[in-house]
Amino acid sequence: MRKTGIIAAATAMLMTVGAASFTQAEEPKSGGTLVLGTTQKARHLNPAVQSGIATAVPGTQIFATPLRFDENWEPQPYLAESWSISDDGKSITLKLRANAKFHDGEPITSEDVAFSLQTVKDNHPFKSMFAPVTGVDTPDPLTAVINFEKPHPAALLAMSSALLPIIPKHIYGDGQDAKSHPANNTPVGSGPFKFVEFKPGEYIILEKNPDYFIEGKPYLDKIIIKNYKDITSLALAMDKGEINMYPFLSSTKDIVRLKKNDGLVVTDKGYEAVGPMNWLAFNTNNQYLKEKGVRQAIAYAMDRDFIINALLGGQSKAATGPVVPGSPFYAADVEKYDVDLDKANAMLDEAGFPRGDGDMRFALTIDYIPGQAELQKNVAEYLKSQLKKVGIDVELRASPDFPTWAKRVGGHDFDMSMDIVFNWGDPVIGVHRTYLCDNIKKGVIWSNTQSYCNEEVDKLLNEAGLELDQAKRIALYNKAQEIIVDEAPLAFINVLPYHTAYSKEIGNPPVTIWGTMSPLDEVYIK
């Protein structure tokens, strides 16, 4: 059967399933095909050298990682059956499973772990994940000792999901550039599913790994990741039963629509570690925005509840600081900046910017990411009208494409900009980059593009990045967040309304902290 025939057959099966009566919860069954829809187009399938959803979803099925995390943020064995941290926090010893093999039958050894970690350290855009690693000792084939120059409590989480895929040294260690290696498009991993075919922009086909190192799993025979041209056609396909899972669903209209389908479950579980956040960033070098009072006034002028309930259909949650709700590092007791136009006006007066011609105080521009109107342009348009009420004349500056927006914001050529940034689980990975003084790097998007610098915040973040005691670590992050929120280099708006829609015929849906960016070896068709 041709591969396109596989997709057609799977779709026909799904429509038959969709018409059937649903059964009660049952024991997992083997067999069946998961057809997952997406608009994310993968460039290749190797998460060791590429971040992002498009690569992570298939990559975590093909490649296994040392650890995995459950829905309670607790690390669980995966390729490593056990691990231990030294008393000084400067080394982690992994004991690998003896029965783990790559899809080509070669055993996984500590040499593969050492090689993979170095590949990620050298090539992955998240430099902070493994920056403190000084090397990996391999005293025997099943023992890998990761050494750090300083304690690195973020390391355990960085060894899960798509962040540390164990890639085969016998394939990638041939001297070719890992970022352009031909194996990236025909990958050999050790995860629950083996690579079958990748047609960029159309589909990815994976099949069950019969020699998977976890006995009795995976339950599914196949996973097909099917690309759609836009979110409208993707939502329609989900509604009609052409696919049986739609992760990273963010259109609030489609969320509401799919919730009305009796054959589907729509949940926001599974995105806690992703931590996707929408905010308004301030260029603190701007002559007006360098004043803390002005930034705070803008935050007070913004009605977050209106944005969430009116513009986003009540399908999102408020973001109130650098870390999203649901994370163990979330700080609840910070200033919430509940809308108060009188206070905003008074603060702008106090900052020395009285109303003048046209009842305006001064003018600013707002940039926004193109192509995501609901979360970006629409919110920017609302902010334009709202800030006019406090005497700030706002002009929206559209970018023709994403690279143009990224060049402007990364190059610090902006006044204010809407932005979407992920926490990526541990603050060391996804939060520090926005606030550390030494990460003000002109030309680099999603660095400290606000040019915000506070030595006390730096000290707190750096201490938290070294602290092995979780309670003390949380306390340090809480203090840092309190200062950041008060100084307002950003006005926090909302957590992206990511949801997963799936057929009620799906058992054990992916609701751990990494959602579909984690192995789907427990998912089954009822």
Side-chain angles (χ1 to χ4, degrees), residues 225-453:
I225 299 174
K226 189 175 179 183
N227 282 112
Y228 287 82
K229 64 179 181 179
D230 54 48
I231 59 174
T232 301
S233 56
L234 175 51
L236 182 62
M238 187 76 234
D239 210 15
K240 288 183 173 181
E242 293 176 10
I243 58 176
N244 50 10
M245 186 173 289
Y246 177 178
F248 293 93
L249 163 64
S250 63
S251 164
T252 59
K253 291 180 180 178
D254 289 333
I255 292 169
V256 172
R257 171 185 176 179
L258 295 177
K259 281 183 175 180
K260 295 177 181 177
N261 186 324
D262 291 338
L264 302 177
V265 176
V266 182
T267 179
D268 62 357
K269 299 294 184 185
Y271 300 97
E272 291 80 5
V274 180
M277 196 183 304
N278 197 28
W279 66 43
L280 179 69
F282 302 125
N283 185 340
T284 62
N285 286 326
N286 177 276
Q287 61 176 317
Y288 307 112
L289 297 171
K290 68 182 180 181
E291 302 295 336
K292 170 179 155 180
V294 171
R295 302 192 300 267
Q296 289 180 328
I298 291 172
Y300 279 118
M302 179 178 68
D303 189 341
R304 189 188 295 109
D305 288 340
F306 177 85
I307 293 172
I308 291 171
N309 293 312
L311 300 184
L312 300 177
Q315 301 302 316
S316 184
K317 298 175 182 176
T320 57
V323 179
V324 297
S327 167
F329 302 106
Y330 171 67
D333 298 326
V334 296
E335 175 60 48
K336 298 300 192 294
Y337 291 100
D338 294 328
V339 62
D340 189 333
L341 296 180
D342 290 339
K343 187 170 187 175
N345 273 304
M347 294 181 79
L348 290 168
D349 288 337
E350 187 178 341
F353 300 111
R355 291 177 184 267
D357 294 342
D359 209 26
M360 293 292 106
R361 304 174 189 274
F362 51 81
L364 295 170
T365 60
I366 294 181
D367 287 86
Y368 56 87
I369 302 174
Q372 303 188 51
E374 186 177 55
L375 291 164
Q376 293 282 294
K377 183 182 180 182
N378 294 358
V379 177
E381 288 176 341
Y382 160 75
L383 292 174
K384 172 183 171 74
S385 64
Q386 196 73 355
L387 292 178
K388 187 175 183 180
K389 297 176 183 178
V390 296
I392 300 176
D393 187 14
V394 171
E395 177 185 352
L396 302 190
R397 184 171 65 160
S399 295
D401 49 39
F402 178 82
T404 301
W405 172 84
K407 183 177 181 180
R408 287 171 171 174
V409 177
H412 304 186
D413 174 25
F414 72 102
D415 297 338
M416 302 183 288
S417 183
M418 299 293 302
D419 201 353
I420 293 172
V421 181
F422 292 180
N423 277 181
W424 287 110
D426 193 286
V428 167
I429 301 171
V431 176
H432 288 204
R433 57 182 173 168
T434 305
Y435 308 101
L436 289 175
C437 299
D438 64 5
N439 206 37
I440 301 172
K441 297 178 178 178
K442 201 167 185 178
V444 181
I445 191 61
W446 296 315
S447 59
N448 185 347
T449 53
Q450 296 71 240
S451 300
Y452 170 72
C453 183

Side-chain angles (χ1 to χ4, degrees), residues 11-26:
T11 299
M13 178 202 74
L14 286 172
M15 298 189 76
T16 301
V17 167
S21 60
F22 297 117
T23 58
Q24 298 297 315
E26 55 190 302

Side-chain angles (χ1 to χ4, degrees), residues 50-110:
Q50 174 76 40
S51 69
I53 298 165
T55 301
V57 173
T60 47
Q61 312 318 315
I62 298 167
F63 296 100
T65 51
L67 305 176
R68 60 199 296 175
F69 273 67
D70 64 19
E71 65 275 14
N72 298 315
W73 292 82
E74 292 295 331
Q76 303 295 328
Y78 196 22
L79 271 177
E81 62 182 8
S82 66
W83 62 94
S84 59
I85 303 172
S86 64
D87 291 341
D88 63 3
K90 292 185 178 181
S91 70
I92 297 176
T93 300
L94 304 177
K95 293 293 185 181
L96 305 178
R97 295 177 187 263
N99 64 330
K101 297 179 181 179
F102 288 108
H103 296 152
D104 61 3
E106 290 293 317
I108 296 174
T109 72
S110 54

Side-chain angles (χ1 to χ4, degrees), residues 175-220:
Q176 297 188 66
D177 185 350
K179 289 186 176 180
S180 57
H181 200 287
N184 292 343
N185 288 324
T186 56
V188 174
S190 61
F193 296 92
K194 299 170 64 174
F195 171 80
V196 175
E197 186 180 7
F198 172 35
K199 190 164 185 181
E202 294 190 30
Y203 57 80
I204 301 164
I205 299 177
L206 311 174
E207 66 181 11
K208 180 176 185 173
N209 174 13
D211 298 317
Y212 188 45
F213 52 82
I214 299 178
E215 188 176 354
K217 296 176 184 176
Y219 298 122
L220 296 167

Side-chain angles (χ1 to χ4, degrees), residues 66 80 82-96 109-115 117-118 130 132-149 155 159 164:
S82 66
W83 62 94
S84 59
I85 303 172
S86 64
D87 291 341
D88 63 3
K90 292 185 178 181
S91 70
I92 297 176
T93 300
L94 304 177
K95 293 293 185 181
L96 305 178
T109 72
S110 54
E111 290 287 341
D112 295 299
V113 173
F115 177 80
L117 196 150
Q118 192 62 49
F130 296 113
V133 173
T134 57
V136 181
D137 297 329
T138 55
D140 63 64
L142 298 180
T143 303
V145 182
I146 305 171
N147 299 305
F148 305 92
E149 63 180 347
M159 286 192 274
L164 183 56

